Amino acid sequence: MPAETRVAIDRETDIVTARQKGRELAAACGFASTDQTLIALAISELARNIVVYAQRGEIIVKSEFGERRGIEIVARDQGPGILNVALALQDGYSTAKSLGLGLPGARRVMDEFEIDSAPGRGTTVTVRKWVR
Amino acid sequence: MVPILKHGKFLIASIVSALTDQDLIQLRDELANKIGQVRAHGVIIDVTAVDVLDSFATRTLRDIARTVKLRGAKIVLVGIQPDVAFAMVQLGLSLDEVDTALDLEEGFSHLRRGEERSRHAG
């Protein structure tokens, strides 16, 4: 049965909650444990970006059971937005003295990646992964 | 909170599953102090129970390792689970400058070997 979980993100401990919820849903979806860990890691990176750059936002995790079984994660905030999305997707680029691997890393470990962001309008990142 | 145990000249910090960023930062600060208090020669950080090591955790563990080394102790990270290791590689995270070992037992051997080497050299 398709399911959806929303986790409000406004402090660090919410990052842990979000990735635990995501892992549970991924397990219910039929993902192998290796993929569950990749999904949890992607959620961790996206949720951290919310805390660091936007202070608050939400993570929505949806399981999909259409023609393909998989999971969709939406990370949404109304923060300052990203000035240069192409740059933010480069390995090692960070405006917050972090490793700069969060966004490009989350993109790498998932099958699909979309980002919608503009200065002053907030950021929405949508990623999907399909059960192999 | 991460409890720090003392075993001979070694300190052991076992991180339980859902560690927050604050836990890691606190661990770094406590280890730096405790090495001096108990004159520890080595530190083992056990992450066997950790489900995910993300970019923040990786960077903080690197910082912890550097801090411990600067305080004059050896450090070894033990217990990275197969899925966690695989996910780190996929994301592009590395802990190249931090010694790692399979588990606590191997971690102790690693530190003891280091102790013997420095005795022979000295």
Side-chain angles (χ1 to χ4, degrees), chain A:
Chain A
M1 214 192 314
E4 183 179 311
T5 309
R6 277 168 190 267
V7 181
I9 306 291
D10 63 359
R11 58 206 142 113
E12 275 175 14
T13 48
D14 298 329
I15 300 172
V16 176
T17 310
R19 71 172 185 240
Q20 282 172 345
K21 297 279 183 200
R23 184 190 282 273
E24 280 167 26
L25 209 58
C29 232
F31 280 103
S33 84
T34 307
D35 282 344
Q36 289 172 31
T37 304
L38 286 176
I39 289 163
L41 181 57
I43 293 173
S44 204
E45 299 296 343
L46 296 176
R48 179 169 318 282
N49 280 350
I50 292 177
V51 173
V52 171
Y53 296 103
Q55 282 75 56
R56 63 181 57 82
E58 65 174 346
I59 297 273
I60 305 154
V61 191
K62 281 184 241 179
S63 56
E64 295 188 8
F65 288 85
E67 281 176 27
R68 299 170 87 183
R69 264 194 311 160
I71 202 161
E72 180 183 85
I73 300 148
V74 180
R76 182 181 293 147
D77 67 63
Q78 263 99 50
I82 301 171
L83 199 60
N84 188 333
V85 172
L87 208 54
L89 287 171
Q90 275 178 23
D91 274 346
Y93 178 81
S94 172
T95 56
K97 292 187 194 160
S98 69
L99 293 177
L101 286 170
L103 216 44
R107 183 192 205 177
R108 223 172 1 249
V109 302
M110 301 297 282
D111 295 329
E112 292 175 25
F113 181 97
E114 289 153 28
I115 183 164
D116 178 23
S117 182
R121 204 159 49 77
T123 302
T124 302
V125 180
T126 307
V127 293
R128 292 180 204 92
K129 194 171 186 68
W130 306 106
V131 176
R132 278 172 296 180

Side-chain angles (χ1 to χ4, degrees), chain B residues 51-102:
Chain B
D51 62 328
V52 163
L53 285 174
D54 64 9
S55 59
F56 180 88
T58 302
R59 186 168 62 119
T60 313
L61 284 171
R62 277 194 215 165
D63 287 352
I64 289 174
R66 289 197 192 115
T67 308
V68 168
K69 279 180 192 168
L70 286 170
R71 292 287 286 142
K74 301 239 178 318
I75 184 161
V76 59
L77 187 69
V78 307
I80 297 180
Q81 295 303 296
D83 286 350
V84 175
F86 177 71
M88 286 175 72
V89 172
Q90 294 295 303
L91 201 92
L93 299 171
S94 72
L95 279 166
D96 288 346
E97 63 275 76
V98 184
D99 288 347
T100 54
L102 183 66

